[in-house]
Amino acid sequence: MNKRKLPFGTALLNAPFTLWTVIFILAPLVLVAYFAFTGNDGRFSLQWFEYIFDPARRETYLRMFGDSLLYGALATGISLLLAFPLAHFMAQSKQSVQRVLMLLIMVPMWMNFLIATNAWRYILEHNGLINNLLAGIGLPRLGMINTPGAAILGMVYNFVPFMILPIYTVMARLNVQLVEAAQDLGASRWEVLRRVIVPLSMPGVMSGVIMVFVPSVSVFFINDRLGGVRLIGDVINDRVLNETNLGAAFSLILMLIILVCMLVLNRMGDREKGAFVN
């Protein structure tokens, strides 16, 4: 059977998206793979992966990968716990309330990422806003800066809007008749939430999880300014600036790990949908 050709007009409309995909997605991936699998002489080589998995360094780098995944998972989980009830409240509110809440969510996103992160440093540091307030009322100062908690806080603050928006978008379009039918059948509010709203919201939840988890795992500036543990994003940043090939190898490994995590999350999301349908 001959494949059906797209009309010229449709192909023309798709051209900008295709060009964008090639230039800003495929080309960078090809470059990363090229640098990761070539040596200093430009020939095919696995020396950078051998360097990473060398017994003398393997444990250190594996711990960094593990810490990065842990930080990303914690930031994503906290963001989900904050975003889901807020998105549900927004979806149930009047249009005027929704617009105000949406504005409050969007305003921090208009602020420069670096400025927002540095602002949190000034708030959390030893002579920062919180510790000065504590000292002013006679309480001891807290060591909040350069801690894992500060790094996760910075991730949540910067990325939680990307969790709220897709969940809210899905919830705002839910069929209200399904909720009313569940209530008519005697379901409590908790059962309606657990058995109707949550399963139907899974596409938004999965989108939000991906949009928060991916940058949280690979971010480096937030941890550099707020955290006290060296994560794999910090290593990639340093290596790309000094040893591009080695940085590309780290990036490729991280991309593969994130891809596996995304496949697992998508599989879990499909199970949730299937459970609701059944």
Side-chain angles (χ1 to χ4, degrees), residues 117 120-126 131 142-148 150 225-228:
T117 303
W120 273 109
R121 181 172 182 85
Y122 298 140
I123 293 172
L124 300 175
E125 64 185 0
H126 184 72
N131 275 322
L142 302 176
M144 294 178 289
I145 201 67
N146 294 328
T147 62
R225 298 298 295 163
L226 302 177

Side-chain angles (χ1 to χ4, degrees), residues 73-88 156 160 163-164 167 205 209:
L74 289 174
T76 303
I78 295 172
S79 297
L80 179 58
L81 291 176
L82 295 174
F84 195 92
L86 178 57
H88 183 254
V156 172
V160 71
M163 182 72 77
I164 297 173
I167 297 176
V205 170
V209 166

